[in-house]
Amino acid sequence: QVQLVESGGGLVQPGGSLRLSCAASGRIFSINTMGWYRQAPGKEREFVASITRGSSTNYATSVKGRFAISRDNAKNTVYLLMNSLKPEDTAVYYCLGVLTTTPMGDYDSYWGQGTQVTVSS
């Protein structure tokens, strides 16, 4: 059983910062890419940022220069530092881990339960 658990969401004023964390646990052999997606009310889930095991990063245009993704491979944890937050960043943020549970197994995608981020004055 694999679990991804997010933390760090909350209410913040425009221009403020938040740091999200996502820890993967359970029967994990290797984690390849980890990332963050978000879903605002009435909208599709969208890509925010990703990071490979080798620390190559990718960002959505809307967050580039404001958000920074990082990971701690020893802790199977990925972080998202969000600066200069805007009301349009309000959404439920979901963690994604692409991982395998056995040495010869396929890599599959696992999702966290989501954490709410609300940007409002």
Side-chain angles (χ1 to χ4, degrees):
Q1 189 78 5
V2 174
Q3 280 191 315
L4 277 73
V5 179
E6 301 102 334
S7 60
L11 173 64
V12 63
Q13 292 187 341
S17 299
L18 277 177
R19 188 192 192 212
L20 305 182
S21 300
C22 171
S25 62
R27 188 179 176 182
I28 297 171
F29 178 75
S30 177
I31 303 178
N32 188 353
T33 298
M34 300 189 81
W36 293 93
Y37 284 70
R38 67 186 181 187
Q39 187 167 18
K43 294 189 176 182
E44 298 280 324
R45 188 175 297 190
E46 64 175 6
F47 169 79
V48 175
S50 66
I51 184 167
T52 67
R53 185 170 183 84
S55 296
S56 294
T57 59
N58 192 25
Y59 295 94
T61 301
S62 60
V63 307
K64 198 172 292 185
R66 299 189 297 123
F67 290 11
I69 189 170
S70 60
R71 67 189 279 176
D72 184 333
N73 290 330
K75 296 181 179 179
N76 288 339
T77 299
V78 63
Y79 306 96
L80 185 68
L81 177 60
M82 305 184 293
N83 296 316
S84 303
L85 282 162
K86 306 175 182 180
E88 51 264 43
D89 294 317
T90 295
V92 177
Y93 283 70
Y94 296 91
C95 172
L96 167 71
V98 180
L99 59 93
T100 180
T101 59
T102 62
M104 302 299 292
D106 293 329
Y107 281 85
D108 292 316
S109 295
Y110 293 80
W111 292 91
Q113 81 289 349
T115 185
Q116 177 71 46
V117 171
T118 302
V119 184
S120 175
S121 55

